[in-house]
Amino acid sequence: MSHARITIDRDFSIADVPRRLFGQFVEHMGRCVYTGIYEPGHPAADARGFRTDVLELVRELGPTVVRYPGGNFVSGYRWEDGVGPVADRPVRIDGAWHTIETNAFGLHEFMDWSREAEVEVMEAINLGTRGVEEARALVEYANHPGGTYWSDLRRRNGAEDPFDIKLWCLGNELDGPWQIGHKTAHEYGRLAQETAKAMKLVDPTIELVAVGSSSRQMPTFGTWEHTVLTHAYDEVDYVSMHAYYQEHDGDVASFLGDAVDMDAFIDGVVATIDAVKAAGKHTRQVDISFDEWNVWYQSGLDSEDQPHQVEKAWREHPRLIEDAYNVTDAVVVGTFLHSLLRHGDRVKIANQAQLVNVIAPIRSEEGGPAWRQTIFWPFARMARMAQGRILRLAVSSTKTPTTRHGDVDDVDAVATWDEESGRLALFVANRSLDGEASVDLDLHGLRATAVRSAEVLTVPEDGDRLTANLVGAPDAVGLRPLDGVALDDGAVRLTLPALSWSAVEFDVARS
């Protein structure tokens, strides 16, 4: 059995919970849009073609912000193709994912869908094949009230009121050789600076995200961020981070410890941002938008020199990277959410990629059902329960040796305290494959008075760690009551099953 002690002190906190941390991502890739969120003719589609069964699951998942329309797709996208009468919209080829884009779904449709889903929009602009003029035109189209060319075109296209989009991404992964319009750090830094200036001249209230490294493994990581921010620090509000992880060659222990790498990645980007701030004598703070992250099994990609050329024939919305997630993946996703939350003083936005079908918490079938994947559950519970202040925990845990990360704590945790409601939310993973974990909570300044809820995601009694939520068995893996919670005169002990992720909420009083 593993053992851990988690010390929680009311007076040691990190930041308020950034509500934008619980974001998702919708890209024109595979079946995320078409037959995912949008499928006219489906039995559950509304008059606008939105799948209401998917919308119900999105509302249950609880994302606060959704990034759109890409991703690699955006680096070759003409936003004008997705506005106006659908019958007049051009059909284009999308070189990023080697597909046919009908443009039946565009900006107006996404804005309507976002209102139904009750999410904020995070709009990405094309800085691969386009530039300053197209970006400022899109801001005018979306946010200017009227009386100008682009704002009046929006009104003629059916949206009298501005969309008032506040979050904008200045391109996507332009450090990557696979990206349409790949640039050096100096080329991108200057373009981002000038584009940001032009966009904020149209609407000074918007917030802008500069492109960071596509992964920590990029050969330009660190120097890319430093160079880009040296150019654009005063014009941008965030720098982006992207990271995907998977189990390699049966090395489960390293995979379960991958949040250690995410922690180090974030710490490295924070250090680079602050070095540029100090060297440039800047007074304002740039934060992080971790706007792509997830577990992604990348074995379906073709080759190292063309990593995104995954289809040979030009087709509309083919199946691309539709990973089926198991219990191990869900526990890992839970620890990634822990990492993001415990860095909530600097990571202010995060987007799990992607929302439906494409490495997604939600899956759907064309003409058929929609269902939750295993990774749905940690996100849904944290999005709902993480409120108030993020507490700075001290965790002392039994460790497991790993190939990639050294010795890693078996128990990983994060907690929030909402003084107004008097609730303490604890999110905790037992990464051990070998047995239960006994966890003692040492509370300072707070006294647990009752257990409000306690749920765990773990291996089903008749399953194994590879058990997944599949069509036809949507409830194969889900949350169940966590029985191992002992509360005795304010003292708390948890018994966590092997390979599990838990969400426990307490009523607490000051002490």
Side-chain angles (χ1 to χ4, degrees), residues 29-32 34-35 99-100 102 315-319 366:
M29 175 186 179
R31 298 192 311 114
C32 186
Y34 302 107
T35 73
T99 57
I100 297 295
T102 66
R315 293 187 293 161
E316 295 180 20
H317 53 268
R319 292 179 183 270
E366 185 172 3

Side-chain angles (χ1 to χ4, degrees), residues 400-420:
T400 294
T402 71
T403 303
R404 294 203 304 272
H405 310 302
D407 292 342
V408 172
D409 287 344
D410 287 342
V411 173
D412 184 72
V414 69
T416 62
W417 172 50
D418 185 7
E419 183 174 13
E420 184 176 346

Side-chain angles (χ1 to χ4, degrees), residues 285-451:
Q285 179 172 290
V286 169
D287 288 317
I288 290 170
S289 172
F290 210 132
D291 46 42
E292 288 188 33
W293 68 270
N294 207 350
V295 171
W296 175 9
Y297 290 89
Q298 300 188 38
S299 57
L301 301 179
D302 273 357
S303 64
E304 292 182 359
D305 60 333
Q306 288 186 314
H308 300 301
Q309 190 75 3
V310 294
E311 286 291 326
K312 301 303 181 184
W314 295 99
R315 293 187 293 161
E316 295 180 20
H317 53 268
R319 292 179 183 270
L320 297 179
I321 59 171
E322 297 190 4
D323 289 355
Y325 290 113
N326 58 44
V327 174
T328 314
D329 301 323
V331 173
V332 171
V333 163
T335 63
F336 291 164
L337 287 160
H338 297 177
S339 176
L340 294 168
L341 190 57
R342 64 175 157 253
H343 288 92
D345 58 331
R346 298 302 295 272
V347 180
K348 299 299 185 181
I349 306 165
N351 307 80
Q352 187 180 34
Q354 296 180 18
L355 180 60
V356 187
N357 288 328
V358 178
I359 53 171
I362 298 170
R363 287 285 303 274
S364 68
E365 281 299 322
E366 185 172 3
W371 66 97
R372 309 166 190 85
Q373 294 232 67
T374 60
I375 64 172
F376 179 101
W377 299 108
F379 189 103
R381 285 302 177 266
M382 288 189 71
R384 178 173 62 84
M385 293 170 59
Q387 303 284 342
R389 295 286 293 176
I390 308 163
L391 297 177
R392 190 179 301 277
L393 308 187
V395 179
S396 174
S397 171
T398 306
K399 299 179 184 296
T400 294
T402 71
T403 303
R404 294 203 304 272
H405 310 302
D407 292 342
V408 172
D409 287 344
D410 287 342
V411 173
D412 184 72
V414 69
T416 62
W417 172 50
D418 185 7
E419 183 174 13
E420 184 176 346
S421 66
R423 295 181 186 177
L424 173 71
L426 176 70
F427 310 101
V428 58
N430 177 12
R431 296 187 277 213
S432 173
L433 295 167
D434 300 327
E436 294 180 337
S438 174
V439 180
D440 291 306
L441 298 189
D442 187 7
L443 299 178
H444 295 265
L446 295 171
R447 180 173 54 87
T449 59
V451 178

